[in-house]
């Protein structure tokens, strides 16, 4: 039978490359309202959470399903701190990696290594799943901090009991206790990126977890998915574009030239949003909030990004395909303002999304079904086996 001939095996199965618009499962964790330009965690809009919630509260919301009471929040916060204790063996593995290792590659390795040092974790026991999720959420910033400090060639810094999750994350990266304002910006960045429907890494976490393997294996695989430039690398790419635009000396001409040559404006467009990504505006407001009026006046990044946005938005609107900025357009500029190196942008994404990944694994375990899609076979059939000595 020749290539491409349909033997009836795939009849009726339309191929949906990239799983575009394919609904593979239900979830009550987050909803991306692409038309309305909103994002909800457990039904609460992201704007509300960004205005009022802490990292710990939002993580509780995703993992446990509701906002915590004051006593539940206190217990959850202390438990997270206790679970941040990271096995020495795993920290040693991180220190054996080449110093050039990207933080996400190190995190992926460390999560896989954790499954080796957590006895009884080979096949997760249902009663300990929430605790395992919390341990993974708590240890992720520790692992990222250790990986980054190894990359910089400076000693690892252990988390402190008197700091909250976002403060500790910054402390473990830089070795300095951040100001309240810096820590709140980091906390917001984590909250905004915790969950986002069935994005590629979340789908990966669910697909791997659906085999009933352990949570470390599923989250380690999710980090692998996130590490691709089409997923976790866009905020870095925006800053690269910004640097090029600024050094060109004419941001407007640079933007028009990029578009005219068929190039992509990084940080614009989205598979789901057909409206503004609500997280983008919150990040933009953060950039204003962390600058004084005088700083804002002198802020070349802010001016250049605003110029790129307005030129590109008009360009797309004039061509009848409105495209708007997404979360990554402003996040890199915010991190830059905080003095965070580009290599860490995907790491911040992972430190946030780990809460979403683990929440999805918990949700799936309540009514697990193995993810097993079909493919359309387009190869040949009944190809004869040619003995080795007869092959040319
Ligand atoms: N710059 C220039 N053109 C863009 C664009 C961008 N950022 N985003 C989309 N377009 C154009 C495409 O070239 C395409 O044009 P065409 O119809 O002439 O072929 C059209 O808009 C539709 O784009 P498409 O790639 O099909 O949209 P999508 O919804 O599948 O893709 C992204 C969404 C995110 C992949 C895409 O917008 C993109 O690459 N953006 C830049 C990278 C980025 O910011 N990624 C982070 C996402 S959170």
């Amino acid at each position: 039978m020749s290539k491409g001939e349909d033997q009836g095996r795939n009849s009726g199965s339309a191929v949906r490359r990239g799983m575009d618009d394919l609904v593979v499962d239900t979830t009550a964790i987050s909803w991306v309202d692409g038309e309305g330009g909103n994002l909800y965690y457990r039904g609460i809009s992201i704007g509300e959470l960004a205005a009022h919630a802490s990292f710990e509260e939002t993580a509780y919301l995703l993992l446990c399903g509701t906002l915590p009471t004051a006593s539940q929040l206190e217990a959850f916060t202390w438990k997270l701190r206790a679970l941040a204790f990271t096995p020495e063996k795993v920290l040693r593995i991180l220190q054996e990696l080449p110093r050039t290792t990207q933080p996400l590659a190190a995190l992926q390795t460390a999560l896989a290594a954790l499954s080796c040092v957590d006895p009884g974790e080979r096949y997760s026991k249902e009663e300990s799943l929430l605790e395992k999720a919390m341990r993974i959420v708590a240890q992720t910033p520790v692992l990222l901090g250790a990986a980054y400090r190894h990359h910089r060639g400076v000693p690892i810094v252990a988390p402190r009991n008197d700091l909250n999750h976002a403060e500790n994350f910054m402390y473990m990266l830089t070795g300095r206790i951040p100001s309240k304002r810096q820590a709140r910006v980091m906390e917001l960045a984590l909250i905004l990126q915790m969950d986002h429907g069935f994005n590629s890494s979340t789908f990966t976490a669910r697909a791997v977890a659906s085999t009933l393997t352990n949570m470390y294996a599923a989250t380690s695989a999710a980090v692998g998915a996130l590490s691709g430039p089409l997923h976790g690398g866009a905020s870095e790419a925006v800053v690269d574009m910004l640097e090029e635009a600024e050094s060109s000396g004419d941001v407007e001409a640079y933007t028009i030239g990029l578009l005219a040559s068929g190039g992509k404006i990084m940080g614009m467009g989205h598979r789901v949003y057909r409206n503004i990504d609500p997280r983008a505006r919150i990040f933009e407001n953060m950039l204003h909030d962390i600058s004084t009026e005088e700083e804002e006046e002198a802020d070349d990044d802010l001016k250049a990004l605003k110029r790129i946005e307005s030129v590109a938005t008009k360009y797309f609107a004039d061509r009848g395909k409105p495209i708007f900025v997404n979360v990554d357009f402003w996040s890199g500029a915010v991190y830059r303002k905080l003095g965070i190196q580009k290599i860490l942008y995907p790491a911040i994404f992972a430190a946030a999304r780990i809460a979403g990944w683990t929440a999805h694994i918990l949700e799936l375990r309540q009514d697990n079904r193995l993810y097993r899609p079909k493919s359309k076979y387009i190869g040949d059939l009944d190809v004869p086996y040619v003995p080795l000595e007869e092959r040319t």
Side-chain angles (χ1 to χ4, degrees):
M1 176 147 306
S2 69
K3 196 171 177 173
E5 243 177 88
D6 193 337
Q7 278 209 316
R9 289 177 173 79
N10 297 302
S11 54
S13 309
V15 176
R16 305 280 280 273
R17 294 201 67 229
M19 292 185 274
D20 290 22
D21 296 325
L22 195 67
V23 179
V24 296
D25 211 339
T26 58
T27 182
I29 298 171
S30 71
W31 182 50
V32 183
D33 174 7
E35 295 298 325
N38 212 338
L39 168 64
Y40 300 86
Y41 293 168
R42 302 276 185 197
I44 304 176
S45 107
I46 193 70
E48 286 283 300
L49 290 164
H52 307 292
S54 65
F55 173 90
E56 288 80 354
E57 231 179 327
T58 315
Y60 185 102
L61 175 69
L62 292 189
L63 291 169
C64 303
T66 58
L67 284 173
T69 62
S71 61
Q72 285 169 332
L73 180 60
E74 200 189 340
F76 184 82
T77 301
W78 279 108
K79 184 94 184 164
L80 268 188
R81 282 178 195 170
L83 291 170
F85 173 80
T86 305
E88 191 55 41
K89 273 193 177 135
V90 174
L91 294 175
R92 277 211 300 276
I93 289 172
L94 284 181
Q95 286 171 310
E96 288 302 317
L97 296 174
R99 284 196 35 208
T100 47
T101 304
Q102 294 290 314
L104 287 194
L107 178 64
Q108 190 181 3
T109 306
L111 285 168
L114 277 173
S115 77
C116 311
V117 295
D118 185 359
E121 178 46 31
R122 177 113 178 78
Y123 302 105
S124 291
K125 292 188 176 58
E126 297 304 319
E127 68 274 18
S128 64
L129 275 183
L130 174 60
E131 189 165 320
K132 281 191 199 311
M134 290 175 68
R135 188 180 320 137
I136 292 172
V137 170
Q139 291 186 14
T140 292
V142 182
L143 298 169
L144 287 168
Y148 177 62
R149 292 184 72 79
H150 171 60
H151 162 75
R152 301 272 319 273
V154 291
I156 293 176
V157 170
R160 286 172 47 146
N161 266 343
D162 57 335
L163 300 180
N164 70 27
H165 192 84
E167 286 169 332
N168 251 327
F169 184 30
M170 291 188 82
Y171 172 64
M172 288 184 285
L173 292 173
T174 65
R176 291 185 305 277
I177 296 178
S179 70
K180 286 286 167 208
R181 201 167 63 152
Q182 288 170 331
R184 180 59 187 157
V185 171
M186 174 59 81
E187 184 164 55
L188 278 173
L190 296 176
I191 291 171
L192 291 177
Q193 297 176 93
M194 268 190 197
D195 202 45
H196 206 240
F198 276 24
N199 58 86
S200 176
S201 55
T202 301
F203 175 78
T204 302
R206 290 186 71 118
V208 175
S210 80
T211 68
L212 295 184
T213 185
N214 66 74
M215 209 181 280
Y216 297 114
T219 49
S220 172
V223 174
L226 184 69
S227 63
L230 292 185
H231 191 5
S235 60
E236 254 178 307
V238 172
V239 171
D240 290 340
M241 175 186 74
L242 176 64
E243 285 168 355
E244 268 181 35
E246 285 172 344
S247 63
S248 76
D250 185 340
V251 173
E252 181 162 345
Y254 169 88
T255 311
I256 292 168
L258 184 59
L259 287 163
S261 65
K264 284 246 165 121
I265 303 291
M266 298 315 289
M268 292 193 77
H270 200 275
R271 179 65 56 84
V272 184
Y273 291 114
R274 293 293 163 240
N275 208 319
I276 195 122
D277 176 340
R279 302 166 303 167
R281 280 290 163 256
I282 300 172
F283 262 117
E284 184 188 355
N285 290 337
M286 275 152 69
L287 197 55
H288 291 294
D289 290 349
I290 51 179
S291 313
T292 62
E293 227 171 86
E294 300 76 54
E295 279 170 350
E296 229 177 80
E297 194 56 43
D299 191 332
D300 290 336
D301 287 358
L302 187 67
K303 281 188 216 153
L305 283 174
K306 276 194 172 300
R307 200 77 209 113
I308 295 171
E309 182 185 9
S310 74
V311 171
T313 307
K314 181 169 181 322
Y315 176 95
F316 293 128
D318 288 349
R319 277 152 190 78
K321 56 171 181 191
I323 289 179
F324 303 95
V325 289
N326 61 50
V327 65
D328 296 308
F329 192 80
W330 292 102
S331 61
V334 168
Y335 301 150
R336 206 151 118 121
K337 192 100 197 162
L338 285 186
I340 296 173
Q341 286 198 346
K342 262 193 283 186
I343 194 174
L344 282 174
Y345 299 176
I348 298 172
F349 199 156
R353 194 55 59 89
I354 194 80
W357 294 329
T358 48
H360 277 275
I361 298 168
L362 294 181
E363 180 178 68
L364 189 62
R365 283 297 166 82
Q366 284 166 18
D367 184 16
N368 190 67
R369 176 143 182 94
L370 177 69
Y371 282 24
R372 202 327 186 168
K374 291 202 307 191
S375 58
K376 186 175 178 75
Y377 177 70
I378 57 164
D380 294 336
L381 287 179
D382 299 328
V383 178
Y385 176 82
V386 180
L388 183 60
E389 58 282 7
E390 290 173 25
R391 285 177 225 155
T392 54

